[in-house]
Amino acid sequence: MPGSTRGSSGSVSDAAWILSQQWQTRVGRPVSESALGQVLQRAAPQLGGGGKGGIPQAYGVTQYLMQHGYTLWTTYQPASRFWPFQWIEGGWLLALSVLLIAVTVWLVRRRIA
């Protein structure tokens, strides 16, 4: 089952299993961490809060990046899928175990005869 994907406007529950997060530009191109670092370095005086034109610290880095055209895409599995995944995985592992035990018993009986 593929994970759900949301842009910057959506919120992900703290209980969700986050598979990946990636910043993208307005045109949908992935942004490297070094490029984001350069953007934030230029914005450091504003992000520090306080002085003239400074952005209050409550504003935060994420909001700054979103305001400047970057979108954070998160791929995740909701917490509600935890138990169904456990049952699915447990089921196929049990079936595989039964199959392997049956093949082992068959091979041992065949060699004895």
Side-chain angles (χ1 to χ4, degrees):
M1 275 185 204
S4 302
T5 306
R6 287 213 181 163
S8 59
S9 61
S11 62
V12 178
S13 166
D14 289 338
W17 177 24
I18 295 177
L19 302 174
S20 68
Q21 288 187 318
Q22 183 180 44
W23 285 96
Q24 293 184 355
T25 62
R26 284 189 176 115
V27 293
R29 290 197 177 123
V31 180
S32 69
E33 286 186 31
S34 62
L36 285 176
Q38 290 173 358
V39 169
L40 293 174
Q41 227 173 9
R42 286 181 292 209
Q46 292 178 332
L47 290 173
K52 289 184 179 178
I55 299 168
Q57 281 190 320
Y59 182 72
V61 172
T62 302
Q63 288 82 4
Y64 178 84
L65 289 171
M66 287 180 189
Q67 186 181 20
H68 287 82
Y70 296 95
T71 304
L72 178 63
W73 285 95
T74 302
T75 305
Y76 69 99
Q77 290 294 339
S80 62
R81 292 186 184 171
F82 178 79
W83 284 111
F85 280 160
Q86 293 298 309
W87 286 111
I88 291 167
E89 193 166 339
W92 76 261
L93 287 171
L94 179 63
L96 179 63
S97 299
V98 169
L99 177 68
L100 290 174
I101 290 170
V103 168
T104 302
V105 169
W106 179 76
L107 285 172
V108 168
R109 286 187 176 181
R110 188 171 168 219
R111 284 195 177 166
I112 292 175

